[in-house]
């Protein structure tokens, strides 16, 4: 038998237990897997497996029979300390904890390598969508030079409601909370922090170097209005919150921000709580991975797959690593090449100012407002020009980045 | 160094050489990979690596330094004999040869297991799209109960041309041939045989049992007309050639046929030569994998990824297998539950016959023809009813299956 422990019996943890118990026939290793301990501070006397629960982590880390630990507690502490202790004790650790992977991934992967075991985190990005393993294994012969991801289901649900139901941001957020798609405090989602951790993990994998979340320009969706959604639609676009990674000659650009994407782009059809991750590889060209980016069973499915893979590689470290580096390889996001959609309070003077600053662009209007798209240019140059527009007395109501495909 | 041999220097084989040479920095194993032999009956004196070529397979199979062989010749013979000999000699074999995998996969996988090496075929389905490894590794904790795949780029290109350009089938096929997307003899693509091999491989993986191509009901796209494409669009559907796999309580249903799918289904947006594979798993829910299903570099990317994975698992057999079985577990395709779109030569008598056989359905007309969709029912019952329609003197012009989501 392969004896495992689950740290945390919340949504994901209880899902992990359920998936292990219900999928015994899916593989040889699933058949041989036995949950020996579950760590949680709460009591669950009503559960048939209540005898598995413990409040004492030392019981798990000191149990030589336990070979795989699923850390699904979330948060940095004590998850970080527990993970380190487990790896030091020679136990494989798998996790859905994107915050921990994004923050301490380099160190924990290095520790796993030294101990010849594995630290796996398929569930940390895209929930149940296979993405970590495809990037590291199936695309091993590719230079991954661009990733565009709808990485957060909550914000994608909110934007989809705004686009298809005409809900305001506030109403859509309320619906998301009522449906359990958003936390009572939704900041981590709507301000883009969750997407930031996920693109940090994908970027680190794509360039084999640690990409620090704190260096990623991150912007949420709180300023997106229904007017923008409608103008976008008239222009043939939809607004999505995108995590973006691009490899350039002298470094990388990483960013999280709302972007307008053409309606015929494969990511445009990724609706509601679904996630979509669009990857460009040197040899393989364009790929997209689509599925449920969160939820109890999809996330648990990825955690248990990692547990099975750990069992299959019980005596070896799989090649999955990125390194801490002092080198400054993250370029200023203002260097990125893209376009902007701009919406202004519209009148003749505004239109003249637009034309003098941005050349001949198509301006479309509704009521008191006018909107246009800039030509393609450097992010920094375009925002400078937009600031000049304001300097000339034009009231700029919104400015959203536009994805331009080569 | 990891010394490898390439069998066949056609489109894929030359792509494999190119990807190996150009991606030295993508991983440790890529750095250590050295092409020692290339097997081809032709001479390539102009190539800088012409000294690697041989016409004698024994030189490769008897070279103890060669540990990985990429079989990219295609066809059953001598690919089958060469693969067997290589595996028997203890060499890992990777391939893009879907015909061989679909036909002799069970035997070759078993042989690889006995020899504690690997037979890998990520490139055999979906070109560069990661699908084999996600199914067997990332979804190891899932019961895969349904797969719907746009598995053939040629037919998808033809159908996309018909849908978006209004080309007839014949014109679209001609364009496909001019663009190099279709062979001069396009039968394997347009009659559905290529898609059949691919769904056979996916189905075998999903149920761990050998699914014989000969038992798969296979229908191509040669009878799809522009009229059908237009009626489909008015009804909110697009026509795609789909490989379908469904697990039911008492067996499986596997089929290749044109199907109408709703325009908002993720597969509907998979256009031109792209492939899309939609997978339903017990825990993970709906997933889709999207990318280039063919082409020199995408396919080579998957072949080289398998070569790297073989190098990483040089001393062990990865869990990838399905078994030959005498058990009859493939159900009659007529048992499947779906709907039909029917187009008939339309007049009052036809409409009356439709209503008397299919109940109140919405009938839409254009010129001399009328079309409708049946209710959901058993495939066999519905085709029986459609035959009765003909029996009552109605000229049935076409009948196409319709995907009905639960």
């Amino acid at each position: 038998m392969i004896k495992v422990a689950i740290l945390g019996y919340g949504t994901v943890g209880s899902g992990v237990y359920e998936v292990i118990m219900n999928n015994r026939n899916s593989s040889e290793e699933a058949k041989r897997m036995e949950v020996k301990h579950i760590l949680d501070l709460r009591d669950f006397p009503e559960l048939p497996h209540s005898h598995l629960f413990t409040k004492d982590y030392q019981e798990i880390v000191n149990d030589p029979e336990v070979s795989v630990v699923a850390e699904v507690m979330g948060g940095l502490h004590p998850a970080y300390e527990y993970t380190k202790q487990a790896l030091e004790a020679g136990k494989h650790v798998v996790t859905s904890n994107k915050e921990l992977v994004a923050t301490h991934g380099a160190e924990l992967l290095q520790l796993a390598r030294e101990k010849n075991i594995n630290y796996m985190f398929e569930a940390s990005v895209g929930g149940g969508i296979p993405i970590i393993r495809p990037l590291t294994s199936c695309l091993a012969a590719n230079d991954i030079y661009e990733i565009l991801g709808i990485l957060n289901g909550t914000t994608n649900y909110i934007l989809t409601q705004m686009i298809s139901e005409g809900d305001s941001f506030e109403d859509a957020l309320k619906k998301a909370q009522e449906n359990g798609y958003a936390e009572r405090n939704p900041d981590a989602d709507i301000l883009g922090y969750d997407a930031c951790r996920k693109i940090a993990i994908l970027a680190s994998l794509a360039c084999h170097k640690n990409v620090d979340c704190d260096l990623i320009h991150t912007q949420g969706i709180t300023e997106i209005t229904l007017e923008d959604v409608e103008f976008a639609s008239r222009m043939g676009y939809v607004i999505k919150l995108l995590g973006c990674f691009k490899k350039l000659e002298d470094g990388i650009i990483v960013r999280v921000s709302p972007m307008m994407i053409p309606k015929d782009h494969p990511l445009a059809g990724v609706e509601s709580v679904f996630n979509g991750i669009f990857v460009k590889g040197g040899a393989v060209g364009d790929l997209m991975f689509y599925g449920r980016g969160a939820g109890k069973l999809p996330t648990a499915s990825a955690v248990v797959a990692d547990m099975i893979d750990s069992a299959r590689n019980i005596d070896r470290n799989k090649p999955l690593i990125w390194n801490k580096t002092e080198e400054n390889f993250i370029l200023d996001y203002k260097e990125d090449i893209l376009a902007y959609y701009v919406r202004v309070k519209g009148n003749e003077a505004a239109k003249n100012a637009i034309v003098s600053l941005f050349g001949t662009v198509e301006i479309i209007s509704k009521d008191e407002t006018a909107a246009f798209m800039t030509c393609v240019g450097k992010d920094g140059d375009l925002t400078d020009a937009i600031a000049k527009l304001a300097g000339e007395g034009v009231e700029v109501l919104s400015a959203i980045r536009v994805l331009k495909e080569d």
Side-chain angles (χ1 to χ4, degrees), chain A:
Chain A
M1 298 302 284
I2 300 149
K3 305 217 172 167
V4 305
I6 302 171
L7 312 188
Y9 201 71
T11 306
V12 179
S14 58
V16 167
Y17 185 80
E18 190 179 325
V19 170
I20 291 175
M21 300 313 284
N22 292 347
N23 287 277
R24 296 232 160 272
N25 293 325
S26 65
S27 74
E28 277 310 306
E29 292 79 9
K31 232 172 261 166
R32 288 164 44 222
M33 201 171 285
E34 182 191 319
V35 179
K36 193 171 175 195
H37 306 279
I38 302 175
L39 181 76
D40 206 289
L41 292 179
R42 295 162 295 176
D43 287 310
F44 295 88
E46 74 289 1
L47 291 179
H49 51 286
S50 62
H51 60 285
L52 300 178
F53 281 79
T54 174
K55 295 184 175 64
D56 178 12
Y57 181 56
Q58 295 314 313
E59 208 182 305
I60 294 170
V61 84
N62 292 328
D63 184 342
E65 281 192 354
V66 171
S67 54
V68 182
V69 172
E71 183 272 296
V72 285
M73 336 172 54
L76 283 182
H77 304 284
Y80 169 66
E81 290 77 13
Y82 285 4
T83 300
K84 239 177 124 165
Q85 283 181 49
L87 292 171
E88 273 163 358
K91 299 178 194 316
H92 299 254
V93 178
V94 310
T95 188
S96 58
N97 189 334
K98 55 215 158 224
E99 194 180 352
L100 183 57
V101 177
T103 312
H104 296 293
E107 180 194 347
L108 296 169
L109 286 166
Q110 180 57 36
L111 180 54
R113 171 150 294 187
E114 284 161 16
K115 292 284 175 179
N116 200 33
I117 48 175
N118 295 289
Y119 181 52
M120 294 186 184
F121 43 87
E122 183 64 71
S124 67
V125 181
I129 307 173
I131 180 68
I132 305 294
R133 212 169 263 99
L135 279 186
T136 52
S137 190
C138 309
L139 301 178
N142 278 265
D143 178 35
I144 310 289
Y145 64 90
E146 192 169 337
I147 300 173
L148 294 171
I150 296 175
L151 299 168
N152 179 272
T154 308
T155 47
N156 203 47
Y157 173 85
I158 291 171
L159 291 169
T160 304
Q161 286 297 119
M162 293 174 74
I163 294 164
S164 59
E165 305 294 324
D167 290 343
S168 69
F169 171 78
E170 291 73 19
D171 288 347
L173 172 58
K174 223 176 129 206
K175 270 193 199 168
Q177 287 170 321
E178 283 163 11
N179 287 316
Y181 298 147
E183 310 273 336
R184 204 164 337 153
N185 177 349
D187 283 359
D189 293 319
I190 63 177
L191 297 179
Y193 303 148
D194 176 75
C196 172
R197 287 168 193 146
K198 292 167 176 168
I199 195 71
I201 295 171
L202 297 179
S204 299
L205 283 171
C207 58
H208 312 294
K209 284 187 274 200
N210 188 62
V211 176
D212 190 336
C213 278
D214 296 335
L215 301 178
I216 299 178
H217 177 68
T218 301
Q219 195 183 326
I221 62 163
T222 49
E223 285 169 26
I224 304 295
T225 66
L226 261 186
E227 287 76 17
D228 296 321
V229 165
E230 283 162 16
F231 272 117
S233 180
R234 283 172 64 188
M235 292 170 164
Y237 288 77
V238 290
I239 302 175
K240 297 283 184 189
L241 181 68
L242 287 191
C244 301
F245 159 81
K246 249 188 223 179
K247 211 179 268 181
L248 303 180
E249 283 217 346
D250 45 351
I252 65 166
I253 284 179
V254 211
R255 181 186 65 234
V256 172
S257 77
M259 286 194 92
M260 285 201 183
I261 57 179
K263 281 182 184 170
D264 62 358
H265 191 284
L267 284 174
V270 178
E271 298 194 331
S272 189
V273 294
F274 280 84
N275 282 195
I277 303 159
F278 195 81
V279 176
K280 294 190 182 208
V284 78
D286 295 354
L287 291 174
M288 188 174 77
F289 303 85
Y290 165 97
R292 287 189 182 276
K296 176 176 171 167
L297 294 182
T299 308
S301 148
V303 173
V304 179
D306 276 351
M307 296 171 89
I308 292 173
D309 204 17
S310 296
R312 287 175 180 171
N313 290 277
I314 205 83
D315 57 349
R316 66 160 66 195
N317 173 261
K318 290 187 71 182
L320 176 63
I321 202 149
W322 62 73
N323 299 311
K324 280 256 179 221
T325 168
E326 293 303 308
E327 180 198 343
N328 185 12
F329 65 106
I330 303 183
L331 305 174
D332 189 340
Y333 70 93
K334 291 178 185 156
E335 297 295 309
D336 197 15
I337 304 295
L338 38 66
Y340 265 89
Y341 148 96
V342 185
R343 184 167 61 90
V344 300
K345 201 113 186 185
N347 52 36
E348 270 318 300
K351 287 181 187 171
N352 291 337
I354 290 169
V355 171
S356 82
L357 278 160
F358 293 94
T360 317
V361 293
E362 193 187 348
I363 302 176
I364 62 173
S365 310
K366 193 196 166 191
D367 305 330
E368 305 283 271
T369 61
F372 67 97
M373 265 183 202
T374 70
C375 292
V376 173
K378 269 197 189 173
D379 194 324
D381 295 346
L382 294 170
T383 44
D384 285 352
I386 295 165
K388 273 189 198 146
L389 206 55
E392 294 195 12
V394 178
E395 191 178 341
V396 176
L397 300 168
S398 49
I400 300 173
R401 291 180 180 86
V402 181
L403 178 69
K404 288 288 176 185
E405 290 289 279
D406 349 292

